Amino acid sequence: MLSLVASIPFALIVHPSLPAKSVKELIALAKAKPGSLNYSSAGNGTSNHLAGELFKSMTGTFMVHIPYKGSAPALNDLIAGQVQLMYDLVLTAAPHVKSGAVRALAVTGRERSAALPGVPTVAESGVPGYEVTAWFGFFAPAGTPVAVVNTLNAETVKAMRLQDLRDRLGSQGAEPITSTPEQFSGYVRDELTKWTRVVKASGMKAD
């Protein structure tokens, strides 16, 4: 493992008809009427499905998952009011938030997103520790000499400081990040542990 290079948060978006205007109001609504709310995703076991399952487990709520074959139809049905909420990548969610087709309650990263700067994170909205991102990193084959790994890591970090690269990533809704090889290894282990727990608790199965 060489380095993390970027992450893209999701946006928790709802249909404008949903009375909840914040994460706290969404939780209250879900607890008042268990199973009455539904959320769409790109399919069973996808990142936006996992985002919903983690939210449910951390808030003690029950919402019905509606899997689609891809994010586009899942988002289209949210806009049409066929489902009530969704976790969608900020890049694709932002235009619909700005047009008023959907309302953003929060973003799922550790920090607020430049794509939706006025939208709080889920964590700061009353669910501390909640974080979900689509992340990207560079890996090397097992057994790569430590000296080579360190050199490649240093070059990756140097490249990630280039403003034109950072701007291009930003235009895609991605947030540039770097790490040491050791930090990246720890991050991957933590992610595997977290999502294994969520998958087992939910009983989900991939399509």
Side-chain angles (χ1 to χ4, degrees), residues 25 30 34 38 63 74 80 86 108 124 132 154 156 166 173 179:
E25 290 182 4
N38 53 52
M63 294 178 280
M86 178 184 179
T108 65
E124 70 179 286
V132 181
T156 298
R166 298 177 70 85
S179 67

Side-chain angles (χ1 to χ4, degrees), residues 139-152:
F139 293 77
T144 300
V146 173
V148 174
V149 168
N150 290 337
T151 297
L152 291 173

Side-chain angles (χ1 to χ4, degrees), residues 83-168:
V83 293
Q84 294 157 309
L85 59 141
M86 178 184 179
Y87 294 83
D88 193 30
L89 291 172
V90 291
L91 177 65
T92 49
H96 301 291
V97 172
K98 293 171 183 176
S99 73
V102 298
R103 182 168 64 246
L105 300 187
V107 293
T108 65
R110 185 174 300 177
E111 299 178 354
R112 296 192 181 196
S113 171
L116 294 169
V119 178
T121 66
V122 175
E124 70 179 286
S125 300
V127 191
Y130 183 96
E131 181 182 358
V132 181
T133 61
W135 55 266
F136 305 87
F138 289 154
F139 293 77
T144 300
V146 173
V148 174
V149 168
N150 290 337
T151 297
L152 291 173
N153 173 265
E155 291 301 316
T156 298
V157 171
K158 186 187 302 183
M160 295 304 297
R161 294 195 184 113
L162 297 174
Q163 193 58 49
D164 59 341
L165 177 57
R166 298 177 70 85
D167 290 343
R168 290 184 66 181

Side-chain angles (χ1 to χ4, degrees), residues 154-199:
E155 291 301 316
T156 298
V157 171
K158 186 187 302 183
M160 295 304 297
R161 294 195 184 113
L162 297 174
Q163 193 58 49
D164 59 341
L165 177 57
R166 298 177 70 85
D167 290 343
R168 290 184 66 181
L169 287 171
S171 70
Q172 299 298 313
E175 299 170 2
I177 50 176
T178 56
S179 67
T180 65
E182 293 76 19
Q183 289 170 335
F184 189 20
S185 294
Y187 180 79
V188 171
R189 284 195 300 270
D190 290 345
E191 285 284 278
L192 287 171
T193 298
K194 177 171 74 174
W195 296 119
T196 297
R197 183 171 60 249
V198 171
V199 169

Side-chain angles (χ1 to χ4, degrees), residues 1-33:
M1 297 182 185
L2 301 179
S3 177
L4 280 164
V5 294
S7 68
I8 305 178
F10 294 83
L12 170 51
I13 51 179
V14 302
H15 189 266
S17 65
L18 195 71
K21 301 294 195 301
S22 67
V23 169
K24 288 184 178 179
E25 290 182 4
L26 176 64
I27 294 171
L29 183 61
K31 287 186 174 181
K33 299 179 179 180

